[in-house]
Amino acid sequence: MRNLSGSQVEEFVLVGFPTSPPFQPLLFVFFLAIYLLTLLENILIVSTVWLTPSLHRPMYFFLGHLSFLELWYINVTIPRLLGAFLTQDGRVSYLGCMTQLYFFIALACTECVLLAVMAYDRYLAICEPLRYPSLMPPSLATRLAAASWGSGFFSSMMKLLFISRLSYCGPNIINHFFCDISPLLNLTCSDKEQAELVDFLLALVMILLPLVAVVSSYAAIIVAILRIPTAQGRHKAFSTCTSHLAVVVIYYSSTLFTYARPRAMYTFNYNKIISVLYTVIVPFLNPAIYCLRNKEVKDAFRKTMLQRCHHHPRDVPD
């Protein structure tokens, strides 16, 4: 990477979040509160699923993986956003930028595949209830979760191999609050057609194919639910997948709007505002939706807290 004077460019400068100085403290407190609440929500879900034997089933096994992923995801993006409010010096090394980009892409792709796996699990539970234990044994659930993580990190590695080979001649200013693909491709001075093609094809595989799997699963689920003779039975069957469906709609709508909209929209600062939706708001809403809509998770969490309180020593020695 060399700039116009021939010297090596060793760092990028992140512009940060567009806001006026009077609002910076308020936005910092707002995003910090969301960050801490998101951490707390996902830690509670992961620990509850892990410590409760009654939740050791594929449905909650995948939920635990999703919450663990969200924990990792927000720690890749939100600290950089918070740092943009604290300091005007948004410098990040080339290696640091590529590392952040790698984990951001890997976790985003993993979530796409994991949501598709969870949709398939709901399809088996509703459409094949009697055969569900044999069709989704714990060994298969483990392999599907591992495949989700493996495909996400492999896809990210392939994208980064092409992006890191590009030359950056200057300027080195990224109009964003974290290292994302589009701002980096806009800075390169070398031919980026190959990198863009690889990015497009892998995005097609990692976003579109899981989305097709989700839509197909829920189409079959809806058909199966409509065949249930009683309204109470239909409501009970559909209630088992409403939380996942809500998460899917929020995640895919924000992701598709961000990466599938016309290229001209990337020139506006609204790109950063939209990025807040899928890097901050979606991880915050996901565990809230699952906890509020799932009675088993709420009951398990309540029992876990009560057990901890009962085992807490109350007598203080003199």
Side-chain angles (χ1 to χ4, degrees):
M1 301 191 309
R2 298 185 180 277
N3 58 19
L4 296 178
S5 64
S7 60
Q8 188 175 4
V9 177
E10 298 180 349
E11 62 182 11
F12 293 105
V13 178
L14 297 169
V15 173
F17 195 81
T19 181
S20 57
F23 289 102
Q24 287 186 355
L26 293 176
L27 288 176
F28 173 79
V29 172
F30 173 73
F31 287 120
L32 179 61
I34 290 182
Y35 174 60
L36 296 177
L37 286 173
T38 306
L39 282 176
L40 178 62
E41 289 173 339
N42 285 288
I43 289 174
L44 288 176
I45 290 180
V46 172
S47 59
T48 300
V49 171
W50 178 264
L51 296 174
T52 307
S54 62
L55 298 183
H56 293 174
R57 289 177 287 166
M59 174 183 177
Y60 300 106
F61 174 75
F62 295 133
L63 175 59
H65 275 269
L66 181 63
S67 294
F68 178 74
L69 186 149
E70 298 285 16
L71 279 172
W72 198 352
Y73 188 77
I74 61 172
N75 280 292
V76 171
T77 56
I78 298 185
R80 179 65 62 180
L81 173 61
L82 295 174
F85 293 108
L86 292 176
T87 177
Q88 299 298 323
D89 186 11
R91 298 178 184 274
V92 57
S93 66
Y94 173 79
L95 181 60
C97 186
M98 291 300 163
T99 301
Q100 184 189 50
L101 179 64
Y102 172 73
F103 284 109
F104 171 73
I105 298 173
L107 295 171
C109 293
T110 299
E111 185 162 0
C112 285
V113 181
L114 189 59
L115 289 174
V117 169
M118 295 174 74
Y120 176 67
D121 175 70
R122 291 299 83 207
Y123 158 75
L124 292 180
I126 293 177
C127 298
E128 301 286 346
L130 299 179
R131 300 171 57 202
Y132 177 75
S134 61
L135 292 175
M136 184 59 73
S139 58
L140 177 59
T142 301
R143 290 196 296 270
L144 289 174
S148 301
W149 288 95
S151 60
F153 278 79
F154 177 76
S155 174
S156 180
M157 181 180 66
M158 295 303 297
K159 288 189 178 187
L160 201 68
L161 284 176
F162 285 88
I163 294 175
S164 61
R165 292 166 58 187
L166 299 175
S167 300
Y168 296 89
C169 308
N172 63 341
I173 298 176
I174 299 178
N175 188 22
H176 216 305
F177 59 86
F178 69 95
C179 294
D180 202 358
I181 296 177
S182 299
L184 280 172
L185 290 179
N186 289 335
L187 290 181
T188 183
C189 57
S190 57
D191 186 7
K192 58 184 178 181
E193 288 187 3
Q194 193 176 34
E196 287 182 329
L197 178 61
V198 171
D199 177 51
F200 173 76
L201 292 177
L202 288 175
L204 199 66
V205 173
M206 301 304 297
I207 296 178
L208 189 59
L209 288 184
L211 180 59
V212 171
V214 169
V215 172
S216 301
S217 298
Y218 274 103
I221 288 173
I222 292 173
V223 171
I225 290 177
L226 292 177
R227 291 176 179 172
I228 298 176
T230 63
Q232 184 179 2
R234 289 193 296 269
H235 175 74
K236 183 178 180 180
F238 191 71
S239 64
T240 62
C241 56
T242 51
S243 299
H244 178 259
L245 183 60
V247 169
V248 165
V249 170
I250 295 173
Y251 181 79
Y252 275 105
S253 60
S254 60
T255 302
L256 290 174
F257 184 78
T258 301
Y259 292 105
R261 65 188 190 275
R263 180 176 298 274
M265 291 186 66
Y266 285 115
T267 59
F268 295 96
N269 280 332
Y270 291 112
N271 186 35
K272 287 181 282 188
I273 299 176
I274 296 170
S275 297
V276 171
L277 179 63
Y278 64 88
T279 59
V280 180
I281 304 302
V282 171
F284 171 71
L285 291 177
N286 283 359
I289 291 173
Y290 274 110
C291 287
L292 292 175
R293 296 287 303 176
N294 195 299
K295 186 176 183 299
E296 283 187 281
V297 174
K298 290 189 293 185
D299 291 343
F301 171 69
R302 192 178 296 111
K303 289 179 181 179
T304 301
M305 290 296 102
L306 289 175
Q307 289 175 356
R308 286 174 176 262
C309 292
H310 289 157
H311 286 89
H312 191 277
R314 298 181 180 180
D315 297 330
V316 180
D318 294 334

